Amino acid sequence: MGLVVATKMIEIRNLKKYFPLKGGFFNSKQADVKAVEKVNFDIPEGEILGLVGESGSGKTTLGRSIIRLIEPSEGEILYNNENILNFKEKDMRSLRKDFQIIFQDPYASLDPRKKIFDIIAQGLKIHTGLNKQEISNKVKSIIKEVGLQEEHLNRYPHEFSGGQRQRIGIARALVLEPKFIIADEPVSALDVTIQAQILKLILDLKEKYSLTILFISHDLSVINQIADRVMVMYLGHIVEVASTKQLFSNPKHPYTKSLIATAPQIFRKNENKIVLKGDIPSPINPPSGCVFRTRCPHASPDGKEAKIEMGLIEVEPGHWVDRCGANCS
Amino acid sequence: MKNDTLLSVKNLKTHFSVGNSVVKAVDGISFDLEPGKTFAIVGESGSGKSITALSIMGLLPNNLESVDRGKILFNNQDLLTLDEKEMRKIRGNSVSMIFQEPMTSLNPVYDLSFQISEAIMLHQNKNKQEARKIAIDMLDLVGIPEPQKRIDAFPHELSGGMRQRAMIAMALSCNPKILIADEPTTALDVTIQAQIIELMRDLQKKLGMAIIFITHDLGVVAEISDTVMVMYLGNTMEIANTNKIFSNPKHPYTKSLIEIAPQISEHKREIKVLKGEIPSPMNPPSGCVFRTRCPHASPDGKEAKIEMGLIEVEPGHWVDRCGVGCGN
C-alpha cells in the first residue's frame, strides 16, 4: 500500500466514565469511581492496538465504553465521522453488527442452555435478514474457520474445554463479519499451550477478515506478541502510547519501565529490577496531579508531582508519554 | 536418597475413583527436595501438579483408589502411612501451604489475629497473648504496614497482595521446613506478583525453608527456582536444574513450552503452537502419555508401546524415556 495514510476506524475524544457511588440518606450520590479520565486516541483500520494495565486501571471500562456496553459520561466516539454517542438505540443496533466483543471467561460468556449453533446464529437472526438456510451455511462455515467441526454445533457449552469455548466465542463474534473487535483478555483464562493456539487463531483471522482489534490484556508478553501499537493505562489515564517496538525497546514512563522490568522472563535474570511499592490507589480518590506519583520510584520529596497535570506529550514521532513521566527520570 | 534430602517422593500415585472409572491424577512421580532450595513444579491444568502438593499435605478427598501409592519420606517417616492425628502435627507446622486465591483460602468471618494465632496456639503451645504477639511479628516480617493495626483486619479489608502476604505470614508462623506454594502469584497483578516473588525469596534467605513452587508460568520458574519438574498428565516429563532446563531442554513437551512462552525480549510476530489439548486423565494415551500431541510422534504409533519412566541423561537431569532421543 506504500505511504497511504491509514484511515481511522475509530477516534476517541475526551472519553470519560465515572460510576456514581450511591448510599446513605435517600440513596444520594456519595462519590464517583473515576474509571476513565478524558482519554484521546485513534485506532487506524487494520491495526491491533494493545491496551495494557493492572486491575483497576480502567482498561475494561474503556473497552466497553467504546462499544457502548457501558454508557460513557462524557466525550465523543467517532466512527465514519459520526459521534456514536448521539445514536439512538435503533441506530446503535445496526452498528453492533460492525462492533463485536470477545470476553475473557469462556465459561461465563456462553449461555449454558443453548446449543452452539444457536449461540453463534443468534446475532445473524437479529442483525441480518438472512433465511434459515443462509444462516445455517454461515454458521457451518465459521465453525470450521475457528478450528472446530460441524458436529460440534449440536452440543452444549459444558461439553467443551476452555480453549474450544474461546474458539466458539470468536466464531460468535466473527460470524457477523464485524469491522472492529474488542478482545477483552481473551487468553488470560487459558493454559499456555492453548493461549498460543488462540493468539495464532486471532492473528490469522485478523488477516483474513481485515479486522481492527483493540486487544486488552494485563500481560505484556502477550501484548508484545500480538499488538502493532500499545497503550499503557494507569488509574483511568493513558500514561504511554507507542508502537510495540518503541514501547518495549525504549519505554519512557517509569510505570511502563517497571512493568517491562518486572515481567517474569525465561531468558533474563532480573537482578536489579524496579519492583513498585504499594498497590494501585482507589479510583474513588486518586492522587492529585500525576496519578502515578504515590508509587513512582522517581517521585521527589517535595511532592511537586502533585501539581503536574496529566497529559500526553510526543517524545518521538508516534511515541506519546504522560508529561510528568516523560521528564522524571 | 541423598543424605541432605529433606523430603523424598518415591513413585507417588494418587488415583481417584469417579463413577466407574479411575482418574490417574498423579501416576508414579519421584523427586527429592533439598533443604533451603526451591523446587518448581510446572505444567498445564490437569497435569497433576496441585494433586501432588495436596498428596504431600494429606489433604485429598476420600474417593482414593487403593493402589500402591508409593512413599513420601519426611523426617524418617512415610507421610502416606500416618493417620489424621499424626498428620495434623506436621501440617501447618513443619510443612505448610499457601494457595492461589487468598480471598477464598482465608476465612472471611474471622480477623487475621484469630486465623494466624490459631496455628501458633495449636502447634507451639503458646497462650492467646503470646500467639497474637507472634502473629504481629509475622505480619511485620511479610511487609504488611502497621501490623499492630492490621492484625485486627478482616480479609475483605485487604487488597489481593496484602491477603497473599497474610497467607504467607500464617503459613510461616510455625517456622516450617517446607512451604508448598500453589500458584501463589497467578491471581495477582504483575506489579504485585513481583512484590510477592521478591518477598518469598527474601523470606527464604532469612528463614531457610525449602519451597515447592507450583506454577504454569515458566517466567516465574526462571525467577525463583533451583530445580524444575515438568509434569504432563500425572507424569514427570523432565527434571533438571533450572538453568539446565532452559539452556538444554530434552523432552519435546519442555521444548514446546519454552518455545511458545510469550517473551518480551524478542519482537517476533510468528506464534509457535503445540497442537491439541491435554487428554482426559480418565482415559490417558497408552505408552508415552504425550504422544498424541508430540511433534515427533511416529506414523507407526510405536510410542504407544513405550512405557513411561525417567532416564538420567546427565547428572541430575532426568528425562522420560520416550522423550529422550525422539527429536534428534
Side-chain angles (χ1 to χ4, degrees), chain B residues 102-111 115 153-157:
Chain B
M103 192 61 209
T104 47
S105 40
L106 289 169
N107 190 330
V109 300
Y110 292 110
D111 60 20
Q115 297 189 55
F154 287 87
H156 73 267
E157 299 174 281

Side-chain angles (χ1 to χ4, degrees), chain A residues 54-55 161 191 193 196-197 200 203 221 224-226 228 264-266 269-270 273 276-279 295, chain B residues 44-45 159 189 191-193 195 219 222-223 246 260 262-264 266-267 269 271-272 274 276-277 293:
Chain A
E54 293 176 88
S55 6
S161 67
D191 268 316
T193 61
Q197 293 173 2
K200 184 157 192 310
L203 269 187
S221 322
N224 180 41
Q225 269 194 322
I226 198 160
D228 300 307
Q265 296 291 299
I266 295 178
K269 280 283 171 219
N270 290 323
K273 61 183 178 188
L276 289 181
K277 300 260 185 304
D279 287 313
R295 298 176 81 191
Chain B
E44 296 177 85
S45 354
S159 68
D189 271 315
T191 62
I192 310 301
Q193 165 169 300
Q195 291 174 2
E223 296 234 321
F246 292 125
I260 63 178
Q263 291 290 304
I264 281 176
E266 47 195 272
H267 294 282
R269 192 64 181 281
I271 296 178
K272 296 235 171 73
L274 175 65
E277 304 201 355
R293 297 176 81 188

Side-chain angles (χ1 to χ4, degrees), chain A residues 48 53-56 59 161-164 167 190-197 199-200 203 206 218-222 224-228 244-245 248-249 255 258-271 273 275-280 295, chain B residues 43-46 49 159-162 186 188-195 197-198 201 216-225 242-243 246-247 253 256-278 293:
Chain A
I48 300 184
E54 293 176 88
S55 6
K59 56 192 193 304
S161 67
Q164 288 173 319
R167 288 174 193 270
L190 306 174
D191 268 316
V192 271
T193 61
I194 309 302
Q195 177 172 314
Q197 293 173 2
L199 285 177
K200 184 157 192 310
L203 269 187
K206 184 244 162 196
H218 69 282
D219 187 335
L220 276 174
S221 322
V222 168
N224 180 41
Q225 269 194 322
I226 198 160
D228 300 307
T244 307
K245 205 166 174 194
F248 285 98
S249 59
Y255 181 59
S258 165
L259 283 183
I260 293 175
T262 50
Q265 296 291 299
I266 295 178
F267 298 109
R268 181 185 63 190
K269 280 283 171 219
N270 290 323
E271 293 310 340
K273 61 183 178 188
V275 175
L276 289 181
K277 300 260 185 304
D279 287 313
I280 192 165
R295 298 176 81 191
Chain B
E44 296 177 85
S45 354
K49 52 195 195 306
S159 68
M162 286 298 152
T186 307
L188 304 174
D189 271 315
V190 269
T191 62
I192 310 301
Q193 165 169 300
Q195 291 174 2
I197 289 176
E198 197 179 46
R201 274 194 183 147
H216 67 280
D217 186 336
L218 282 178
V220 174
V221 168
E223 296 234 321
I224 200 160
S225 71
T242 305
N243 291 329
F246 292 125
S247 63
Y253 182 58
S256 296
L257 284 182
I258 294 171
E259 236 175 45
I260 63 178
Q263 291 290 304
I264 281 176
S265 31
E266 47 195 272
H267 294 282
K268 267 191 287 178
R269 192 64 181 281
E270 189 203 358
I271 296 178
K272 296 235 171 73
V273 296
L274 175 65
K275 291 219 168 60
E277 304 201 355
I278 194 164
R293 297 176 81 188

